[in-house]
Amino acid sequence: MAGFRPLSAGLSALQPEAFGVDPSGERMARIRRSPHFKDGVFQNPGGPARTRPSGSALDFAKIYFDKDARARRGPRGPIPVHATTLADISRPPSTGLRLTWMGHSSVLAEIDGRRVLFDPVWGTRCSPFAFAGPKRLHPAPLPLAALGPVDVVVISHDHYDHLDLPTIKALADTDTVFAVPLGVGAHLEHWGVSADRLRELDWHEATRIGGLTLTATPARHFCGRGLRNTQHTLWASWVVAAEEHRVYHSGDTGYFEGFQEIGAEHGPFDATMIQLGAYSEFWPDIHMTPAEALRAHLDLQGGAPAGVLLPIHWATFNLAPHAWAEPGEWTKDAAEEAGQTAAFPRPGQPFEPGGKVPGEAWWRALSAPLPATWRRSGQSTPLAQTPSGSGPAADTRPDLDLAGDR
């Protein structure tokens, strides 16, 4: 019949380019040889992790669609983006180490003369579609093209809020090198990044790039971009060590005892960038609450307060039922109680961990009142006035999410 196409061909044509591709050939053969790949999928440290929402779907719906709770899941006004990011990063850091949080998990780390860009997401939505999915709550602090040369782009895993097609395509036209977990290179090659610019690592493997040592370390999460989650691409946290400084980026992860091992082998760190947003009691295994993130930071530092904790994975996208400002407020409380220095920059605000660290609770001017339900002492904070309706342990995200991060 003229013009007839098999059903499989039609379904294939409907798949957006942002889905990427599954690993194949020698890449898939290498995946099968990994000690962390078993029974056809990558395995989490510490045993299986729940990657789909647990508990009652009705209970989840009541929380997610509650009118008052929904109002608290976004800021009341424009998020203040740092106005002079480009001018500030045009000068070299005086201490040799500077971090610029661009929003969500995207961080530019300038470390001993090298520039490392973690999980860059400049796209408008973390989704395979331009018309649907979580939309940015604030603009990127500066255009990607204005950022200038980057020595290494580090990707933690292939969810949409960490691996962004428009951003990768823009970076594919540069000569930067990409350090990615095992299997993720298949997506990047499909989108135009040449194989010779990829450093694809399993956990505990390291690569040297321009005076930096980058090591892929374990995390407790999962992967997948398409309609099927094959678990054929790895997720990772990352250690970046230079001559004088070293930093850690957690990617997405639930809390696990492996932080102690990573700290013992690679720490202590001048700064850690720790995921602590989009948490929920419905998916406690794959994201961390602020209290868990602080514990992870202390584990990485040998058990005592040290270095600077930079909270990431919050404020930029609405990905969970908890209140928008809760991660910032809870982290500030927990860090102060523990005597740990934590940085709270506005998006795009550079700071040097060895210098003055931004600590203003800038989100309070944009937040509805929050209960300090996480405070065991019962002490109140300026936001602790009325219930938020989210609870302190909210880490909620569906597995097949066009939202992408999971």
Side-chain angles (χ1 to χ4, degrees):
M1 217 161 95
F4 173 79
R5 292 192 303 165
L7 179 61
S8 60
L11 291 175
S12 176
L14 291 174
Q15 293 189 3
E17 184 183 13
F19 277 5
V21 295
D22 287 336
S24 60
E26 175 52 37
R27 180 175 276 116
M28 192 63 213
R30 185 182 169 201
I31 288 170
R32 292 192 179 100
R33 294 193 296 268
S34 168
H36 310 110
F37 191 79
K38 182 181 179 181
D39 298 329
V41 295
F42 278 111
Q43 305 290 321
N44 264 303
R50 288 166 289 178
T51 60
R52 294 177 182 271
S54 59
S56 164
L58 179 60
D59 288 344
F60 173 74
K62 286 179 180 178
I63 292 174
Y64 198 82
F65 294 106
D66 177 81
K67 182 179 179 180
D68 292 337
R70 289 181 68 183
R72 280 183 281 270
R73 289 205 297 271
R76 285 180 160 179
I79 294 174
V81 176
H82 189 65
T84 59
T85 305
L86 183 58
D88 292 344
I89 65 175
S90 66
R91 300 183 296 271
S94 60
T95 62
L97 176 63
R98 181 168 59 203
L99 302 180
T100 306
W101 178 52
M102 300 295 180
H104 202 58
S105 295
S106 304
V107 182
L108 174 67
E110 297 168 274
I111 178 168
D112 296 345
R114 302 292 179 178
R115 306 176 92 218
V116 182
L117 186 58
F118 292 96
D119 283 357
V121 173
W122 259 253
T124 302
R125 297 183 186 271
C126 52
S127 166
F129 306 111
F131 56 86
K135 192 174 183 179
R136 296 185 71 97
L137 299 175
H138 65 81
L142 77 172
L144 185 62
L147 194 61
V150 173
D151 295 285
V152 191
V153 171
V154 176
I155 303 297
S156 65
H157 63 297
D158 67 0
H159 287 163
Y160 289 99
D161 58 329
H162 297 260
L163 182 62
D164 178 55
L165 172 61
T167 304
I168 296 301
K169 284 206 160 189
L171 291 168
D173 293 333
T174 70
D175 58 1
T176 188
V177 176
F178 292 81
V180 303
L182 196 57
V184 174
H187 298 310
L188 271 63
E189 282 195 64
H190 182 63
W191 297 334
V193 178
S194 60
D196 62 347
R197 290 165 54 201
L198 293 174
R199 306 292 184 270
E200 204 163 340
L201 305 183
D202 201 347
W203 291 340
H204 308 298
E205 292 183 343
T207 186
R208 289 279 295 176
I209 302 173
L212 301 174
T213 300
L214 295 96
T215 306
T217 46
R220 187 166 168 79
H221 200 57
F222 69 111
C223 64
R225 295 178 70 86
L227 296 176
R228 295 182 306 114
N229 183 2
T230 61
Q231 292 288 81
H232 288 170
T233 58
L234 189 59
W235 49 96
S237 57
W238 288 88
V239 172
V240 177
E243 291 184 8
E244 301 293 334
H245 296 93
R246 61 183 56 220
V247 298
Y248 171 85
H249 189 285
S250 71
D252 275 5
T253 181
Y255 178 81
F256 69 114
E257 293 182 356
F259 291 115
Q260 299 174 25
E261 299 170 5
I262 294 170
E265 184 172 355
H266 300 284
F269 300 96
D270 297 281
T272 68
M273 296 155 270
I274 305 287
Q275 172 268 313
L276 49 69
Y279 45 81
S280 172
E281 58 191 1
F282 290 94
W283 46 73
D285 296 342
I286 55 172
H287 286 161
M288 292 190 289
T289 67
E292 291 170 326
L294 174 63
R295 181 180 176 189
H297 171 88
L298 296 175
D299 286 351
L300 290 161
Q301 303 289 42
V308 174
L309 164 62
L310 172 62
I312 59 172
H313 202 266
W314 76 288
T316 303
F317 297 104
N318 179 355
L319 299 174
H322 64 67
W324 169 78
E326 186 177 280
E329 195 67 30
W330 186 354
T331 303
K332 190 170 180 64
D333 276 1
E336 288 175 356
E337 187 173 347
Q340 171 60 53
T341 301
F344 298 101
R346 292 166 171 77
Q349 181 180 2
F351 73 95
E352 300 190 30
K356 184 178 180 180
V357 175
E360 179 190 354
W362 54 266
W363 56 86
R364 289 178 180 167
L366 304 172
S367 174
L370 293 177
T373 51
W374 56 84
R375 292 186 65 84
R376 295 178 181 175
S377 65
Q379 297 175 4
S380 63
T381 69
L383 296 182
Q385 299 170 17
T386 60
S388 71
S390 65
D395 176 353
T396 343
R397 313 202 298 172
D399 180 30
L400 170 74
D401 47 318
L402 301 181
D405 175 278
R406 307 156 4 224

